Amino acid sequence: MKTLLNVIWLVLCGFWMAVGYVVAGIVCCILIITIPFGLASFRIANYALWPFGRTIEQRREAGAMSVIGNVIWFIFAGWWLALGHLVTGFLLCLTIIGIPLGIANFKMIPISLVPLGSQIVPSS
């Protein structure tokens, strides 16, 4: 079932969400000081391509620098990526078959807002 949902996700919205994260990652990597944000964006792009069967966990060892980085990320990139998830999730929830995909979009909003201090792990 996870594979079927992932394939439907990839076709309907996963590819476009991943492109958004890759563009944000490229912009962040062009500016030398924001390379950690670019790497986080590329990591989330991978998750946006194939989300079912994986989950997001907070890293306990993340410190104050990740909080500062998340504030900077939110200001420059996080809000528009989260808006993309919100709009896509709403549109997917308009159809019965899209409801699980819309819910998955809503679950990606927190990591799109504050990616530092989070990790993507296989779900059990």
Side-chain angles (χ1 to χ4, degrees):
M1 191 61 154
K2 289 185 297 189
T3 305
L4 178 63
L5 284 172
N6 278 322
V7 169
I8 295 170
W9 169 272
L10 183 66
V11 171
L12 294 180
C13 63
F15 177 75
W16 299 111
M17 286 293 151
V19 166
Y21 282 108
V22 167
V23 168
I26 289 171
V27 169
C28 288
C29 284
I30 288 173
L31 308 167
I32 303 300
I33 199 162
T34 56
I35 288 177
F37 303 124
L39 298 177
S41 184
F42 293 140
R43 186 185 58 201
I44 299 169
N46 181 24
Y47 179 61
L49 279 175
W50 209 256
F52 294 98
R54 297 193 281 178
T55 188
I56 302 164
E57 288 183 357
Q58 296 298 320
R59 290 187 1 226
R60 298 288 182 209
E61 69 273 1
M65 292 305 288
S66 68
V67 173
I68 294 168
N70 280 330
V71 170
I72 294 169
W73 171 268
F74 177 81
I75 292 169
F76 291 107
W79 68 270
W80 63 269
L81 291 169
L83 182 65
H85 283 295
L86 187 66
V87 169
T88 306
F90 175 75
L91 292 174
L92 286 169
C93 283
L94 293 177
T95 65
I96 291 178
I97 203 163
I99 290 174
L101 306 176
I103 292 171
N105 253 308
F106 297 143
K107 287 182 180 178
M108 291 183 75
I109 290 175
I111 197 166
S112 69
L113 288 174
V114 286
L116 303 176
S118 301
Q119 63 184 1
I120 300 164
V121 296
S123 60
S124 50

